[in-house]
């Protein structure tokens, strides 16, 4: 199930981003799919927790292919597909390696690794894909707000995911203690 949630969240992020206009909160511009991108880091951590680091990289590769195919089929420009793939590889690798190396409770590992992964995903995708360097959807003046908006949303998603995970693990421990 973890693998399915991981893969579906990635494809869903692509579809939602392509089909819905970005949210604008004052100066912040946030593609709708950002909500799902934040969740992908949580699901990826759960996959790694069960299957290990080496197998997780195989699932990341499958997710990368699915993401690229979904973007292409949705009519994204080649630059957007390339930016998405590049940001995905960098962000997922950062998340995987940080999650592996942290010696903290699982919820904190999910939170910290997801924040770093979300940071890289936001910076790379906005600069390479959306800025004048890429597809030119936003002017250079809007790039900092677009990056910051995505980072804020992804951090909130990571925080919620870590809290839910922490509560779920605490509940599981209480049940085991009673048994």
């Amino acid at each position: 199930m973890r693998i399915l949630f991981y893969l579906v969240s990635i494809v869903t992020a692509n579809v939602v981003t392509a089909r819905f206009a970005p949210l604008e909160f004052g100066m912040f511009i946030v593609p709708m799919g950002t909500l799902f991108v934040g969740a992908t880091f949580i699901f990826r951590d759960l996959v790694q927790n069960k299957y290990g680091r080496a197998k997780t990289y195989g699932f990341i590769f499958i997710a990368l292919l699915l993401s690229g195919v979904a973007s292409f089929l949705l009519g994204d420009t080649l630059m957007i597909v390339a930016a998405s793939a590049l940001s995905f590889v960098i962000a997922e690798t950062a998340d995987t390696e940080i999650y592996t190396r942290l010696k903290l409770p699982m919820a904190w590992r999910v939170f910290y690794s997801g924040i770093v992964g979300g940071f890289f995903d936001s910076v790379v995708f906005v600069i390479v894909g959306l800025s004048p360097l890429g597809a030119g959807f936003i002017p250079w003046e809007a790039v900092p707000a677009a990056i910051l908006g995505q980072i804020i949303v992804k951090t909130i998603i990571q925080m919620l995911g870590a809290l839910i995970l922490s509560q779920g693990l605490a509940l599981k421990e209480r049940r085991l203690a009673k048994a």
Side-chain angles (χ1 to χ4, degrees):
M1 270 322 250
R2 297 171 192 217
I3 297 166
L4 180 64
F5 285 146
Y6 174 59
L7 298 175
V8 167
S9 68
I10 290 162
V11 172
T12 302
N14 284 329
V15 171
V16 170
T17 297
R19 297 291 181 228
F20 296 97
L23 297 171
E24 294 186 37
F25 299 104
M27 67 179 202
F28 301 117
I29 304 162
V30 181
M32 292 292 287
T34 302
L35 300 168
F36 295 96
V37 172
T40 65
F41 295 118
I42 298 165
F43 292 135
R44 198 225 45 80
D45 291 339
L46 294 174
V47 167
Q48 182 176 350
N49 201 53
K50 182 166 182 159
Y51 296 100
R53 183 173 157 239
K55 286 184 180 177
T56 297
Y57 275 111
F59 297 126
I60 290 171
F61 180 73
I62 292 167
L64 175 64
L65 292 175
L66 284 173
S67 178
V69 168
S71 288
F72 178 77
L73 292 175
L74 290 164
D76 288 338
T77 66
L78 183 56
M79 190 52 127
I80 293 295
V81 174
S84 179
L86 180 63
S87 65
F88 182 82
V89 167
I90 292 169
E92 292 291 320
T93 300
D95 187 288
T96 301
E97 294 305 315
I98 290 168
Y99 184 85
T100 298
R101 287 167 174 73
L102 288 176
K103 303 301 178 210
L104 297 169
M106 185 179 174
W108 285 110
R109 291 166 58 201
V110 166
F111 180 65
Y112 290 132
S113 65
I115 286 176
V116 174
F119 172 82
F120 283 124
D121 185 64
S122 300
V123 170
V124 172
F125 183 73
V126 170
I127 292 173
V128 176
L130 302 179
S131 77
L133 181 67
F137 290 135
I138 60 173
W140 283 116
E141 302 81 48
V143 166
I147 291 171
L148 189 56
Q150 287 192 35
I151 289 171
I152 290 168
V153 170
K154 290 172 188 169
T155 299
I156 291 169
I157 299 296
Q158 288 304 128
M159 189 173 16
L160 292 172
L163 285 171
I164 292 167
L165 185 59
S166 176
Q167 294 301 313
L169 292 172
L171 182 62
K172 185 177 179 180
E173 286 177 16
R174 279 183 274 195
R175 285 183 187 156
L176 291 173
K178 288 182 182 179

mmCIF file of all heavy atoms in Angstrom, residues 114-142:
data_model
loop_
_atom_site.group_PDB
_atom_site.id
_atom_site.type_symbol
_atom_site.label_atom_id
_atom_site.label_comp_id
_atom_site.label_asym_id
_atom_site.label_seq_id
_atom_site.Cartn_x
_atom_site.Cartn_y
_atom_site.Cartn_z
ATOM 1 N N GLY A 114 11.908 15.722 4.802
ATOM 2 C CA GLY A 114 10.908 16.303 3.909
ATOM 3 C C GLY A 114 11.079 17.799 3.718
ATOM 4 O O GLY A 114 10.846 18.323 2.622
ATOM 5 N N ILE A 115 11.494 18.486 4.760
ATOM 6 C CA ILE A 115 11.729 19.928 4.627
ATOM 7 C C ILE A 115 12.865 20.186 3.639
ATOM 8 O O ILE A 115 12.757 21.048 2.764
ATOM 9 C CB ILE A 115 12.034 20.564 5.999
ATOM 10 C CG1 ILE A 115 10.757 20.655 6.815
ATOM 11 C CG2 ILE A 115 12.662 21.953 5.832
ATOM 12 C CD1 ILE A 115 10.962 21.182 8.218
ATOM 13 N N VAL A 116 13.938 19.423 3.761
ATOM 14 C CA VAL A 116 15.066 19.607 2.839
ATOM 15 C C VAL A 116 14.665 19.207 1.421
ATOM 16 O O VAL A 116 14.946 19.925 0.459
ATOM 17 C CB VAL A 116 16.308 18.823 3.312
ATOM 18 C CG1 VAL A 116 17.426 18.906 2.286
ATOM 19 C CG2 VAL A 116 16.781 19.343 4.665
ATOM 20 N N GLY A 117 13.988 18.068 1.277
ATOM 21 C CA GLY A 117 13.522 17.643 -0.044
ATOM 22 C C GLY A 117 12.588 18.671 -0.662
ATOM 23 O O GLY A 117 12.698 19.010 -1.845
ATOM 24 N N GLY A 118 11.674 19.209 0.147
ATOM 25 C CA GLY A 118 10.742 20.222 -0.340
ATOM 26 C C GLY A 118 11.439 21.508 -0.751
ATOM 27 O O GLY A 118 11.065 22.152 -1.732
ATOM 28 N N PHE A 119 12.475 21.872 -0.003
ATOM 29 C CA PHE A 119 13.262 23.065 -0.346
ATOM 30 C C PHE A 119 13.896 22.892 -1.725
ATOM 31 O O PHE A 119 13.759 23.746 -2.594
ATOM 32 C CB PHE A 119 14.334 23.310 0.724
ATOM 33 C CG PHE A 119 15.306 24.393 0.351
ATOM 34 C CD1 PHE A 119 14.982 25.722 0.551
ATOM 35 C CD2 PHE A 119 16.536 24.084 -0.212
ATOM 36 C CE1 PHE A 119 15.871 26.728 0.195
ATOM 37 C CE2 PHE A 119 17.428 25.071 -0.570
ATOM 38 C CZ PHE A 119 17.099 26.410 -0.368
ATOM 39 N N PHE A 120 14.596 21.772 -1.917
ATOM 40 C CA PHE A 120 15.253 21.538 -3.209
ATOM 41 C C PHE A 120 14.240 21.447 -4.346
ATOM 42 O O PHE A 120 14.456 21.989 -5.430
ATOM 43 C CB PHE A 120 16.123 20.276 -3.172
ATOM 44 C CG PHE A 120 17.429 20.467 -2.477
ATOM 45 C CD1 PHE A 120 17.783 19.655 -1.413
ATOM 46 C CD2 PHE A 120 18.316 21.451 -2.870
ATOM 47 C CE1 PHE A 120 18.997 19.822 -0.762
ATOM 48 C CE2 PHE A 120 19.525 21.639 -2.234
ATOM 49 C CZ PHE A 120 19.873 20.818 -1.170
ATOM 50 N N ASP A 121 13.135 20.761 -4.111
ATOM 51 C CA ASP A 121 12.104 20.622 -5.131
ATOM 52 C C ASP A 121 11.586 21.996 -5.550
ATOM 53 O O ASP A 121 11.449 22.283 -6.741
ATOM 54 C CB ASP A 121 10.959 19.749 -4.606
ATOM 55 C CG ASP A 121 9.921 19.469 -5.669
ATOM 56 O OD1 ASP A 121 10.253 18.804 -6.668
ATOM 57 O OD2 ASP A 121 8.777 19.933 -5.507
ATOM 58 N N SER A 122 11.320 22.843 -4.582
ATOM 59 C CA SER A 122 10.782 24.175 -4.858
ATOM 60 C C SER A 122 11.773 25.044 -5.620
ATOM 61 O O SER A 122 11.424 25.655 -6.631
ATOM 62 C CB SER A 122 10.398 24.866 -3.544
ATOM 63 O OG SER A 122 9.432 24.115 -2.855
ATOM 64 N N VAL A 123 12.991 25.106 -5.132
ATOM 65 C CA VAL A 123 13.999 25.969 -5.748
ATOM 66 C C VAL A 123 14.295 25.531 -7.179
ATOM 67 O O VAL A 123 14.262 26.341 -8.116
ATOM 68 C CB VAL A 123 15.298 26.005 -4.902
ATOM 69 C CG1 VAL A 123 16.426 26.706 -5.650
ATOM 70 C CG2 VAL A 123 15.039 26.683 -3.556
ATOM 71 N N VAL A 124 14.561 24.251 -7.355
ATOM 72 C CA VAL A 124 14.940 23.761 -8.683
ATOM 73 C C VAL A 124 13.780 23.887 -9.662
ATOM 74 O O VAL A 124 13.954 24.376 -10.785
ATOM 75 C CB VAL A 124 15.468 22.307 -8.619
ATOM 76 C CG1 VAL A 124 15.688 21.733 -10.010
ATOM 77 C CG2 VAL A 124 16.752 22.251 -7.803
ATOM 78 N N PHE A 125 12.585 23.478 -9.257
ATOM 79 C CA PHE A 125 11.459 23.516 -10.196
ATOM 80 C C PHE A 125 11.105 24.945 -10.604
ATOM 81 O O PHE A 125 10.880 25.219 -11.783
ATOM 82 C CB PHE A 125 10.224 22.804 -9.632
ATOM 83 C CG PHE A 125 9.104 22.774 -10.624
ATOM 84 C CD1 PHE A 125 9.170 21.946 -11.729
ATOM 85 C CD2 PHE A 125 8.007 23.609 -10.487
ATOM 86 C CE1 PHE A 125 8.153 21.927 -12.680
ATOM 87 C CE2 PHE A 125 6.986 23.601 -11.428
ATOM 88 C CZ PHE A 125 7.065 22.756 -12.521
ATOM 89 N N VAL A 126 11.066 25.836 -9.644
ATOM 90 C CA VAL A 126 10.700 27.218 -9.977
ATOM 91 C C VAL A 126 11.755 27.858 -10.881
ATOM 92 O O VAL A 126 11.420 28.477 -11.896
ATOM 93 C CB VAL A 126 10.465 28.060 -8.701
ATOM 94 C CG1 VAL A 126 10.321 29.537 -9.045
ATOM 95 C CG2 VAL A 126 9.230 27.567 -7.955
ATOM 96 N N ILE A 127 13.021 27.698 -10.542
ATOM 97 C CA ILE A 127 14.070 28.341 -11.339
ATOM 98 C C ILE A 127 14.209 27.693 -12.710
ATOM 99 O O ILE A 127 14.228 28.375 -13.737
ATOM 100 C CB ILE A 127 15.411 28.351 -10.589
ATOM 101 C CG1 ILE A 127 15.309 29.291 -9.379
ATOM 102 C CG2 ILE A 127 16.556 28.779 -11.507
ATOM 103 C CD1 ILE A 127 16.509 29.269 -8.456
ATOM 104 N N VAL A 128 14.286 26.375 -12.754
ATOM 105 C CA VAL A 128 14.515 25.687 -14.029
ATOM 106 C C VAL A 128 13.236 25.596 -14.866
ATOM 107 O O VAL A 128 13.287 25.697 -16.089
ATOM 108 C CB VAL A 128 15.111 24.273 -13.791
ATOM 109 C CG1 VAL A 128 15.262 23.511 -15.102
ATOM 110 C CG2 VAL A 128 16.448 24.371 -13.080
ATOM 111 N N GLY A 129 12.093 25.455 -14.216
ATOM 112 C CA GLY A 129 10.863 25.250 -14.969
ATOM 113 C C GLY A 129 10.017 26.479 -15.212
ATOM 114 O O GLY A 129 9.520 26.681 -16.313
ATOM 115 N N LEU A 130 9.847 27.315 -14.207
ATOM 116 C CA LEU A 130 8.868 28.397 -14.314
ATOM 117 C C LEU A 130 9.458 29.767 -14.638
ATOM 118 O O LEU A 130 8.778 30.608 -15.206
ATOM 119 C CB LEU A 130 8.063 28.496 -13.005
ATOM 120 C CG LEU A 130 7.311 27.233 -12.582
ATOM 121 C CD1 LEU A 130 6.590 27.474 -11.264
ATOM 122 C CD2 LEU A 130 6.359 26.763 -13.654
ATOM 123 N N SER A 131 10.696 29.988 -14.267
ATOM 124 C CA SER A 131 11.326 31.304 -14.450
ATOM 125 C C SER A 131 11.642 31.560 -15.928
ATOM 126 O O SER A 131 11.489 30.663 -16.762
ATOM 127 C CB SER A 131 12.617 31.364 -13.638
ATOM 128 O OG SER A 131 13.654 30.649 -14.297
ATOM 129 N N PRO A 132 12.130 32.754 -16.236
ATOM 130 C CA PRO A 132 12.557 33.028 -17.620
ATOM 131 C C PRO A 132 13.677 32.095 -18.099
ATOM 132 O O PRO A 132 13.834 31.895 -19.293
ATOM 133 C CB PRO A 132 13.043 34.483 -17.552
ATOM 134 C CG PRO A 132 12.244 35.086 -16.445
ATOM 135 C CD PRO A 132 12.120 33.980 -15.427
ATOM 136 N N LEU A 133 14.415 31.509 -17.177
ATOM 137 C CA LEU A 133 15.431 30.522 -17.540
ATOM 138 C C LEU A 133 14.786 29.286 -18.175
ATOM 139 O O LEU A 133 15.371 28.634 -19.034
ATOM 140 C CB LEU A 133 16.231 30.110 -16.298
ATOM 141 C CG LEU A 133 17.353 29.100 -16.480
ATOM 142 C CD1 LEU A 133 18.473 29.696 -17.315
ATOM 143 C CD2 LEU A 133 17.886 28.669 -15.123
ATOM 144 N N GLY A 134 13.582 28.970 -17.724
ATOM 145 C CA GLY A 134 12.866 27.793 -18.226
ATOM 146 C C GLY A 134 11.737 28.169 -19.161
ATOM 147 O O GLY A 134 11.949 28.764 -20.213
ATOM 148 N N ALA A 135 10.513 27.851 -18.756
ATOM 149 C CA ALA A 135 9.343 28.076 -19.603
ATOM 150 C C ALA A 135 8.882 29.529 -19.613
ATOM 151 O O ALA A 135 8.078 29.916 -20.455
ATOM 152 C CB ALA A 135 8.195 27.174 -19.153
ATOM 153 N N GLY A 136 9.368 30.316 -18.666
ATOM 154 C CA GLY A 136 9.025 31.736 -18.646
ATOM 155 C C GLY A 136 7.614 32.044 -18.174
ATOM 156 O O GLY A 136 7.052 33.069 -18.535
ATOM 157 N N PHE A 137 7.032 31.170 -17.346
ATOM 158 C CA PHE A 137 5.681 31.416 -16.844
ATOM 159 C C PHE A 137 5.631 32.552 -15.836
ATOM 160 O O PHE A 137 4.591 33.187 -15.670
ATOM 161 C CB PHE A 137 5.085 30.153 -16.220
ATOM 162 C CG PHE A 137 4.749 29.078 -17.212
ATOM 163 C CD1 PHE A 137 5.082 27.761 -16.962
ATOM 164 C CD2 PHE A 137 4.097 29.378 -18.392
ATOM 165 C CE1 PHE A 137 4.774 26.766 -17.881
ATOM 166 C CE2 PHE A 137 3.780 28.393 -19.313
ATOM 167 C CZ PHE A 137 4.125 27.075 -19.052
ATOM 168 N N ILE A 138 6.731 32.760 -15.115
ATOM 169 C CA ILE A 138 6.763 33.849 -14.132
ATOM 170 C C ILE A 138 8.022 34.688 -14.354
ATOM 171 O O ILE A 138 9.062 34.158 -14.750
ATOM 172 C CB ILE A 138 6.701 33.330 -12.674
ATOM 173 C CG1 ILE A 138 7.885 32.412 -12.342
ATOM 174 C CG2 ILE A 138 5.384 32.622 -12.404
ATOM 175 C CD1 ILE A 138 7.971 32.001 -10.889
ATOM 176 N N PRO A 139 7.934 35.982 -14.091
ATOM 177 C CA PRO A 139 9.112 36.847 -14.248
ATOM 178 C C PRO A 139 10.082 36.649 -13.076
ATOM 179 O O PRO A 139 9.702 36.127 -12.028
ATOM 180 C CB PRO A 139 8.516 38.256 -14.234
ATOM 181 C CG PRO A 139 7.263 38.125 -13.436
ATOM 182 C CD PRO A 139 6.740 36.738 -13.721
ATOM 183 N N TRP A 140 11.310 37.089 -13.264
ATOM 184 C CA TRP A 140 12.316 36.942 -12.208
ATOM 185 C C TRP A 140 11.858 37.556 -10.890
ATOM 186 O O TRP A 140 12.150 37.026 -9.822
ATOM 187 C CB TRP A 140 13.645 37.570 -12.637
ATOM 188 C CG TRP A 140 14.411 36.713 -13.603
ATOM 189 C CD1 TRP A 140 14.721 37.019 -14.887
ATOM 190 C CD2 TRP A 140 14.957 35.409 -13.367
ATOM 191 N NE1 TRP A 140 15.412 35.985 -15.473
ATOM 192 C CE2 TRP A 140 15.572 34.980 -14.554
ATOM 193 C CE3 TRP A 140 14.964 34.549 -12.281
ATOM 194 C CZ2 TRP A 140 16.206 33.753 -14.687
ATOM 195 C CZ3 TRP A 140 15.595 33.314 -12.394
ATOM 196 C CH2 TRP A 140 16.205 32.927 -13.588
ATOM 197 N N GLU A 141 11.107 38.653 -10.969
ATOM 198 C CA GLU A 141 10.652 39.318 -9.741
ATOM 199 C C GLU A 141 9.737 38.421 -8.912
ATOM 200 O O GLU A 141 9.645 38.559 -7.693
ATOM 201 C CB GLU A 141 9.878 40.610 -10.065
ATOM 202 C CG GLU A 141 10.639 41.636 -10.869
ATOM 203 C CD GLU A 141 10.642 41.344 -12.369
ATOM 204 O OE1 GLU A 141 9.581 41.063 -12.956
ATOM 205 O OE2 GLU A 141 11.737 41.372 -12.948
ATOM 206 N N ALA A 142 9.031 37.496 -9.562
ATOM 207 C CA ALA A 142 8.088 36.622 -8.863
ATOM 208 C C ALA A 142 8.738 35.325 -8.374
ATOM 209 O O ALA A 142 8.131 34.581 -7.603
ATOM 210 C CB ALA A 142 6.907 36.292 -9.773
#
